[in-house]
Amino acid sequence: MEEKENYSQDVLRHSASHIMAQAVKRLFPQAKLGIGPPIRDGFYYDFDIDGEVLSHNLDRIEEEMRKIVREDLPFEKEMVSKEKARKIFEEREEPYKLELLEEIEDDEVSLYRQGEFVDLCRGPHVRSTGEVKFFRLLSLAGAYWRGKEGNPMLSRIYGTAFFKKEDLDSYLNRIEEAKKRDHRKLGKSLDLFSLSSELGAGLVIYHPKGAILREILERFEKEEHLKRGYQPVITPHISRAHLWKQSGHLDYYRENMYVFSLGKEEYVVKPMNCPGHILVYNSKIRSYRDLPLRYFELGTVYRREDSGVLHGLLRVRGFTQDDAHIFCMPSQLVDEVREVLRFVLFMMKTFRLGYQMTLSTRPRKYIGSPENWERATQALTTALEKENIPFEVAQGEGAFYGPKIDVQMEDALGRLWQGPTIQVDFNLPERFDLTYIAPSGKKERVVMIHRVVLGTMERFIGILIEHWGGAFPVWLSPVQVRILTVTTKESLFAWQVYQKMMSEGIRVEVDDDNAMLGYKVRQAQLEKIPYMVIIGPREKEKEIITVRTRDGENLRGLEISEFIEMVKTKIEDKS
RNA sequence: GCCGACGUAGCUCAAUGGUAGAGCAGCUGAUUCGUAAUCAGCAGGUUGUAGGUUCGAAUCCUAUCGUCGGCUCCA
């Protein structure tokens, strides 16, 4: 039922994209048509025309679309020979359509016409343009023809369409609401972090409130890793280029690396932590009895990402991974991956985050033997199955050095970002000759797993901000309690209460400004502080407190110790 | 990196070739007040940066840095 509903909504949107294309062709006959499919929340159509022209005329295009809708032109399907279709698109000078046509294997192709407009299209469509009533053009973007970087850049118009006006309105509304949860906006208003052009693009400054949030996450990470048999290691931020030559990064990844010369020597700012961890492993001979070895580091790395892909905290140039490398025997692979998966699930549950998992398999270009790939892929699959985790398979999407499991998390607008990832690596063990002495006394090749369980501190904090809309659970809140005085006369008592809470490890502040209570409540509310402790003459006299939660609930007449216990329990429970 | 849009006070925004302005925040003073904004005054800007056009530029042009939406990339 639901599938059918989606299907017909896709049809509606696909039809809307044809109407848009018709409108563009009417206004700008020189525009060449690309493709125009429905997508998750709407549709788009690509045109080969100066994007500036379109961007200045989105309103006119939408107006023309409404006209086409009023004309109520029927969508007419027509089966024609490829030969005839070719003639039609040659006449209309549509090179991209001709290119698509050549790739269709059937002798007959379907065309859809509405009025003077004709498109090569599989369909289906709604009956007539009059059925497409509620739509909106949303944005304009460049997009490479067929998604290939070397191809010409076309101009893509995004839009959306719904059967009902209410649905369109609520969709537009939802986008507006989601924008309020944008971590870049909240990061500013909650004073968590900033990015500064003086520093450089993609480099994050954590302000005190963002830094304490990160500090809490890092402490938590360290504890949890120690509980699971990881050994902390620490490796430098820069190293001789030689190391990266051996790892292969200088050959494959150089354009993303910060490389600098010092006298005769070339140095590299690390873009990854693996070579450092490998040096730890290779610092002595390893026995099978030592394995698995799990080295953990909150490793800060720098990568020169393309300027166009930077995005707040979610895509940056300097970031800290909760990185670990597991060195194990092939026979230990499944168990190790299972443990990591459990770790990831534990994290997702602790932070109440939704996610989806993808298993990426062998790409066309790869290193290592097909048998090893098969075995590793099988190990990952087995681990996923044994943990009962639903996952999708991305055929051929693995790294060239091994298969991987990626975990994606959603931002406020539903865009997916990779967080945790578990990658098997056949490459580095070869390049660095990573071995252990087997029971037989012979050297064997070690298996290496790269894994992060949150991903990076930056991205994870970004996702957390959007997930909670800035209203973090108590244990993560930069300020857990703010004490508000009703008049300045309660100041002394307020600071006494502050001392008690502070000494219990609660992050607490006092607002004893000479301002009205309503004003202070509003400030605390805007800062999304979980608890406001209100102290007026009544409380001062009886040495009790009144607590207002950020949800607006009031708890009156609490003993101070009672409240402290309550907050500590919340922190303990991570709720 | 590519396409398009954008960049004005700490923040949110106004000023379409003719003297840069408002609200909030900040500071000073008054007010001592009970759950989302008390009142008044003051201060705050080489309009991202660098060039250019013009009698005159926030406004037009060029370059550059950065931001936003996509595309591509994501060892």
Side-chain angles (χ1 to χ4, degrees):
Chain A
M1 185 67 191
E2 207 188 321
E3 216 164 81
K4 201 174 172 190
E5 188 103 353
N6 282 339
Y7 174 73
S8 56
Q9 193 161 66
D10 276 358
V11 170
L12 178 79
R13 288 167 173 175
H14 190 184
S15 302
S17 92
H18 276 223
I19 294 171
M20 179 168 78
Q22 182 173 23
V24 169
K25 288 294 278 189
R26 279 186 182 179
L27 296 170
F28 309 103
Q30 76 277 21
K32 303 297 170 214
L33 299 172
I35 56 167
I39 51 174
R40 187 164 112 169
D41 289 320
F43 62 87
Y44 67 79
Y45 212 112
D46 289 342
F47 306 96
D48 189 350
I49 180 175
D50 189 352
E52 229 177 311
V53 173
L54 292 185
S55 90
H56 294 143
N57 287 287
L58 277 185
D59 290 347
R60 273 181 72 200
I61 294 165
E62 201 171 298
E63 207 175 291
E64 190 64 34
M65 286 173 72
R66 297 197 192 287
K67 217 170 117 195
I68 294 166
V69 169
R70 281 197 300 275
E71 288 168 21
D72 199 17
L73 306 167
F75 281 95
E76 292 167 318
K77 182 178 183 176
E78 186 183 343
M79 295 300 296
V80 300
S81 68
K82 242 171 120 170
E83 193 47 47
K84 186 162 176 211
R86 193 176 294 129
K87 252 193 200 140
I88 291 172
F89 291 112
E90 270 169 9
E91 224 165 79
R92 290 176 170 251
E93 297 177 40
E94 294 289 0
Y96 300 100
K97 292 296 174 191
L98 286 168
E99 192 178 325
L100 292 172
L101 191 62
E102 289 318 311
E103 283 172 28
I104 297 175
E105 301 205 338
D106 303 338
D107 293 331
E108 279 211 313
V109 298
S110 60
L111 303 181
Y112 274 83
R113 287 177 191 277
Q114 81 257 23
E116 80 286 358
F117 181 82
V118 61
D119 201 351
L120 174 68
C121 176
R122 204 176 285 125
H125 283 280
V126 296
R127 248 185 305 280
S128 79
T129 60
E131 290 181 36
V132 184
K133 290 202 172 72
F134 307 107
F135 59 88
R136 177 74 64 84
L137 300 188
L138 298 171
S139 63
L140 179 93
Y144 299 106
W145 167 238
R146 318 209 82 181
K148 294 216 179 76
E149 205 171 0
N151 284 347
M153 173 132 323
L154 308 183
S155 301
R156 171 174 299 177
I157 301 176
Y158 285 93
T160 192
F162 289 87
F163 287 108
K164 295 188 207 139
K165 183 169 189 308
E166 304 91 82
D167 292 343
L168 175 62
D169 290 344
S170 87
Y171 172 74
L172 295 173
N173 219 326
R174 215 164 347 119
I175 294 179
E176 284 311 305
E177 284 304 309
K179 282 182 185 160
K180 291 183 190 158
R181 289 194 292 146
D182 190 314
H183 75 280
R184 292 164 299 190
K185 201 177 168 119
L186 288 169
K188 202 175 272 179
S189 63
L190 300 178
D191 198 15
L192 298 171
F193 66 90
S194 61
L195 299 149
S196 140
S197 61
E198 288 160 273
L199 245 186
L203 300 169
V204 182
I205 305 175
Y206 290 83
H207 298 198
K209 284 178 184 158
I212 190 70
L213 174 56
R214 175 161 164 178
E215 178 67 23
I216 297 157
L217 290 177
E218 292 193 348
R219 275 187 218 161
F220 179 61
E221 287 253 38
K222 284 177 189 166
E223 265 171 43
E224 294 302 324
H225 277 85
L226 289 174
K227 280 185 198 168
R228 288 169 174 78
Y230 287 84
Q231 297 175 287
V233 295
I234 298 171
T235 65
H237 293 80
I238 60 169
S239 68
R240 292 175 57 205
H242 171 82
L243 182 66
W244 301 94
K245 188 81 196 157
Q246 191 179 354
S247 69
H249 288 92
L250 267 182
D251 293 330
Y252 290 95
Y253 199 58
R254 186 181 187 114
E255 61 204 28
N256 288 297
M257 292 164 63
Y258 293 95
V259 181
F260 60 99
S261 295
L262 239 126
K264 272 187 247 167
E265 282 250 52
E266 229 180 2
Y267 273 77
V268 167
V269 183
K270 68 175 172 180
M272 291 175 199
N273 302 300
C274 11
H277 293 190
I278 283 169
L279 291 182
V280 179
Y281 183 88
N282 259 356
S283 63
K284 64 181 189 181
I285 291 178
R286 304 293 178 177
S287 154
Y288 73 96
R289 294 171 192 275
D290 300 329
L291 303 184
L293 278 169
R294 309 182 187 98
Y295 295 144
F296 169 70
E297 177 174 17
L298 285 166
T300 302
V301 298
Y302 293 87
R303 299 181 188 172
R304 198 182 186 294
E305 303 289 353
D306 283 347
S307 59
V309 304
L310 300 176
H311 185 99
L313 292 183
L314 298 180
R315 189 81 185 264
V316 291
R317 285 180 173 162
F319 50 92
T320 300
Q321 299 177 299
D322 59 338
D323 205 1
H325 294 90
I326 301 173
F327 302 87
C328 67
M329 295 184 276
S331 60
Q332 295 170 320
L333 194 53
V334 174
D335 281 343
E336 286 306 307
V337 173
R338 277 188 79 175
E339 284 302 321
V340 176
L341 279 173
R342 283 199 197 124
F343 199 174
V344 170
L345 293 182
F346 168 77
M347 286 298 189
M348 295 300 106
K349 201 174 144 208
T350 302
F351 294 98
R352 323 250 163 95
L353 292 172
Y355 58 88
Q356 55 192 61
M357 295 223 188
T358 308
L359 171 70
S360 298
T361 62
R362 198 180 75 200
R364 274 167 301 283
K365 259 181 66 186
Y366 65 96
I367 75 130
S369 70
E371 300 79 63
N372 273 340
W373 270 88
E374 181 49 38
R375 216 167 37 180
T377 308
Q378 194 52 52
L380 294 177
T381 311
T382 306
L384 282 163
E385 282 167 356
K386 282 193 172 170
E387 292 304 317
N388 279 317
I389 300 168
F391 63 98
E392 299 196 350
V393 177
Q395 293 291 349
E397 292 295 310
F400 77 90
Y401 52 74
K404 59 177 182 169
I405 296 170
D406 289 325
V407 184
Q408 277 117 358
M409 300 178 290
E410 271 190 16
D411 70 10
L413 281 168
R415 293 175 289 209
L416 290 174
W417 299 87
Q418 185 187 304
T421 175
I422 307 168
Q423 313 187 344
V424 179
D425 188 341
F426 300 122
N427 181 42
L428 293 176
E430 293 290 333
R431 282 180 173 268
F432 286 93
D433 192 25
L434 300 180
T435 59
Y436 60 94
I437 307 299
S440 63
K442 281 200 294 194
K443 274 189 182 178
E444 299 283 351
R445 182 68 72 222
V446 82
V447 178
M448 187 172 165
I449 303 169
H450 308 252
R451 46 103 287 175
V452 286
V453 292
L454 294 186
T456 70
M457 293 297 126
E458 285 71 16
R459 181 173 288 180
F460 193 75
I461 288 171
I463 293 284
L464 270 189
I465 293 170
E466 304 209 351
H467 177 72
W468 294 101
F472 300 108
V474 177
W475 75 290
L476 295 173
S477 288
V479 179
Q480 294 165 320
V481 177
R482 179 174 291 164
I483 300 169
L484 316 180
T485 59
V486 174
T487 78
T488 51
K489 295 188 180 110
E490 294 84 39
S491 204
L492 184 62
F493 180 51
W495 283 103
Q496 286 166 355
V497 175
Y498 166 87
Q499 270 307 333
K500 280 190 186 144
M501 292 187 182
M502 182 85 163
S503 65
E504 295 284 347
I506 293 169
R507 293 187 292 277
V508 56
E509 292 178 350
V510 175
D511 182 354
D512 60 350
D513 278 358
N514 176 12
M516 296 201 308
L517 183 60
Y519 180 81
K520 298 182 188 183
V521 168
R522 178 180 153 81
Q523 293 310 314
Q525 205 68 52
L526 290 175
E527 289 174 47
K528 300 177 194 285
I529 296 169
Y531 296 110
M532 286 162 243
V533 166
I534 301 191
I535 294 182
R538 294 200 289 271
E539 286 81 4
K540 183 182 159 192
E541 191 188 335
K542 293 192 208 148
E543 302 225 328
I544 52 161
I545 55 175
T546 296
V547 175
R548 176 189 159 115
T549 70
R550 91 189 132 192
D551 306 317
E553 281 175 83
N554 270 300
L555 308 164
R556 291 177 203 282
L558 286 187
E559 294 291 334
I560 296 160
S561 58
E562 200 180 344
F563 175 64
I564 288 175
E565 280 319 303
M566 193 182 111
V567 175
K568 282 173 77 176
T569 306
K570 279 271 186 188
I571 294 170
E572 197 62 33
D573 297 348
K574 302 201 170 17
S575 56

